[in-house]
Amino acid sequence: MVYTEKVMDHFKNPRNVGEIENADGVGTVGNAKCGDIMQMFIKVENDIIVDVKFKTFGCGAAIATSSMATELVKGKSIDEALKLTNSAVVEALEGLPPVKVHCSVLAEEAIKAAVADYYKKNGIDKEIPAPAHCHEWEMGH
Ligand code: FES
């Protein structure tokens, strides 16, 4: 399996790893097929994601995609972050092997789950766009 340099870089030196204490939103998602779990923490100020951290118990691609996803949403507004799709994450990583695309779906879902939690905690009644659903996701590994 061939990974791009970007993927290897984010896998070996993942950005924004860890936990945010008193996070404004925490999202935990998992893939039932492979058993990998991803947790995203966001700190929100005036509708802007001022900080984001993640913990991923999963494969290398899941680590690389969560790392890239945090980079892509940091400093962005909530609305912009909700527009982040798994394909945008894959594109930013300059590609993922097809069997690993489902791992990037986990990253998109984790961000959305963290925002959903933020909305819930703050009594914000807004809809979260449904996460991408791809075939790779169904296929598991
Ligand atoms: Fe499970 Fe990548 S997230 S194999």
Side-chain angles (χ1 to χ4, degrees):
M1 200 178 292
V2 179
Y3 287 112
T4 66
E5 260 172 52
K6 275 245 161 89
V7 174
M8 288 314 289
D9 175 34
H10 278 265
F11 167 56
K12 288 188 187 147
N13 311 294
R15 331 290 201 262
N16 308 307
V17 176
E19 239 175 89
I20 297 178
E21 247 180 82
N22 302 318
D24 296 308
V26 182
T28 308
V29 295
N31 181 319
K33 290 256 161 74
C34 62
D36 291 352
I37 295 171
M38 198 182 281
Q39 204 169 23
M40 250 336 142
F41 302 81
I42 54 171
K43 191 99 207 143
V44 182
E45 268 166 37
N46 299 326
D47 238 30
I48 302 288
I49 299 181
V50 290
D51 201 9
V52 51
K53 289 216 173 356
F54 79 91
K55 286 208 291 198
T56 292
F57 305 95
C59 72
I63 292 168
T65 49
S66 22
S67 166
M68 182 51 94
T70 58
E71 293 256 277
L72 291 171
V73 300
K74 202 170 186 174
K76 298 270 166 65
S77 70
I78 295 271
D79 286 345
E80 277 173 299
L82 286 177
K83 284 193 202 125
L84 180 76
T85 60
N86 79 299
S87 7
V89 176
V90 173
E91 217 178 281
L93 288 168
E94 290 164 3
L96 268 184
V99 292
K100 285 288 170 185
V101 170
H102 78 275
C103 319
S104 66
V105 175
L106 218 50
E108 179 190 333
E109 284 194 330
I111 301 265
K112 288 186 169 145
V115 171
D117 183 48
Y118 165 72
Y119 280 174
K120 204 170 109 203
K121 282 190 176 129
N122 290 278
I124 301 169
D125 190 16
K126 273 202 204 166
E127 254 187 66
I128 308 277
H133 213 78
C134 65
H135 295 292
E136 283 84 1
W137 167 256
E138 299 292 354
M139 274 164 33
H141 285 270

